[in-house]
Amino acid sequence: MEGDCLSCVKYLMFIFNFFIFLGGACLLGVGIWVLVDPAGFQEIVAANPLLFTGAYIILAMGAMLFLLGFLGCCGAIRENKCLLLFFFMLILIIFLAELAAAILAFIFREHLTREYFTKELKEHYQGYNNTDVFTATWNAFMNTFDCCGVNSPDDFEGSRFRLLYPDDLVPEACCKRDIHTRGGAFISKEECLMGNMLFRNNKGCYSAVVDYFEMYIYISGALAIVVLTIELFAMVFAMCLFRGIQ
């Protein structure tokens, strides 16, 4: 490879790896935020083993990309063939893993429908049993997002919760709280449990969560496409530089 062309590839390799380095730093930040967010999201993560595992996967991926970006930059600037080959193999593994995760997410997208969540809520939600992971997760969601049920409070009709607590039309987690009081005391817990719409949250959690995360979902999707593209170009430049170094 000619000197000028090799130099160009080297600096392009450095630039792409610098972006990978920044992407890893961002993922690390997101993972840490999810685990320590003071707004209450960490309660949901802690209560749900899947989300808890996912948060640590984000941290691990962030740390790996952070390290890979650093290795790629060093390998490009120093023109070290061992570092370049090591970088190429690792980023290829990450690229394939991310691609597999995207395919699995597309395949299992039907498990994120309103109907699926409503069915699960009716069958497994136990109201006040916070030792049950599923129930504790739903209580955390409803308290955090000021919502009730998947679509509306009507989701509890004919549910397991109503069988366990026939006198309560909705669970305590659906009741409105006075944000101006210490600890957010209930405005009227008794009226809420009796189904009074003035004292309960009437918006479904599906809409509340989608509205809250809508912007982040689009940003995450766009960021994922950008990251995959950067990783692909980084692999191409790494191999070109590897082959061009004498």
Side-chain angles (χ1 to χ4, degrees):
M1 187 179 289
E2 295 296 330
D4 290 341
C5 186
L6 180 64
S7 179
C8 180
V9 170
K10 179 173 73 173
Y11 287 112
L12 283 173
M13 170 83 176
F14 178 85
I15 291 170
F16 275 104
N17 278 284
F18 181 70
F19 283 119
I20 290 173
F21 177 83
L22 291 180
C26 289
L27 283 178
L28 277 173
V30 169
I32 294 171
W33 171 76
V34 167
L35 292 175
V36 303
D37 173 39
F41 192 67
Q42 78 278 12
E43 296 176 10
I44 300 170
V45 174
N48 190 318
L50 184 61
L51 292 177
F52 187 75
T53 303
Y56 279 101
I57 289 175
I58 290 174
L59 279 174
M61 291 295 290
M64 189 173 294
L65 288 175
F66 187 87
L67 177 61
L68 279 175
F70 179 76
L71 287 175
C73 288
C74 290
I77 292 299
R78 298 182 62 183
E79 298 184 8
N80 187 303
K81 296 187 76 170
C82 289
L83 279 177
L84 288 172
L85 185 60
F86 182 62
F87 165 82
F88 176 84
M89 295 302 297
L90 283 181
I91 205 165
L92 177 62
I93 293 171
I94 292 174
F95 179 84
L96 293 175
E98 290 172 344
L99 196 60
I103 293 171
L104 287 174
F106 178 79
I107 292 173
F108 292 104
R109 67 191 184 283
E110 65 271 10
H111 292 297
L112 299 177
T113 62
R114 289 176 182 264
E115 292 74 16
Y116 173 80
F117 285 121
T118 303
K119 177 177 174 289
E120 291 293 300
L121 180 72
K122 285 181 176 291
E123 291 181 358
H124 303 294
Y125 181 72
Q126 300 177 32
Y128 308 109
N129 181 12
N130 277 314
T131 59
D132 175 65
V133 171
F134 183 87
T135 301
T137 301
W138 264 103
N139 285 337
F141 261 112
M142 292 190 287
N143 284 319
T144 301
F145 295 100
D146 296 326
C147 56
C148 186
V150 178
N151 307 287
S152 71
D154 294 337
D155 291 339
F156 293 103
E157 290 289 339
S159 66
R160 184 179 183 183
F161 164 75
R162 291 297 302 277
L163 291 175
L164 294 172
Y165 306 97
D167 294 331
D168 295 346
L169 294 183
V170 294
E172 181 182 289
C174 287
C175 298
K176 286 185 178 180
R177 296 175 181 269
D178 186 353
I179 60 174
H180 301 294
T181 61
R182 187 168 185 173
F186 294 113
I187 297 176
S188 178
K189 179 180 173 180
E190 294 75 16
E191 290 289 334
C192 168
L193 297 181
M194 290 172 59
N196 192 321
M197 296 179 62
L198 297 176
F199 300 98
R200 74 184 187 193
N201 297 310
N202 296 296
K203 186 174 185 178
C205 290
Y206 192 94
S207 297
V209 173
V210 168
D211 290 346
Y212 183 82
F213 286 108
E214 184 176 19
M215 181 181 69
Y216 300 102
I217 291 171
Y218 287 123
I219 292 175
S220 299
L223 183 62
I225 293 172
V226 170
V227 168
L228 286 172
T229 303
I230 290 173
E231 288 173 354
L232 183 61
F233 275 102
M235 285 189 291
V236 171
F237 288 135
M239 189 50 61
C240 290
L241 188 57
F242 177 86
R243 291 171 61 86
I245 295 173
Q246 302 300 323

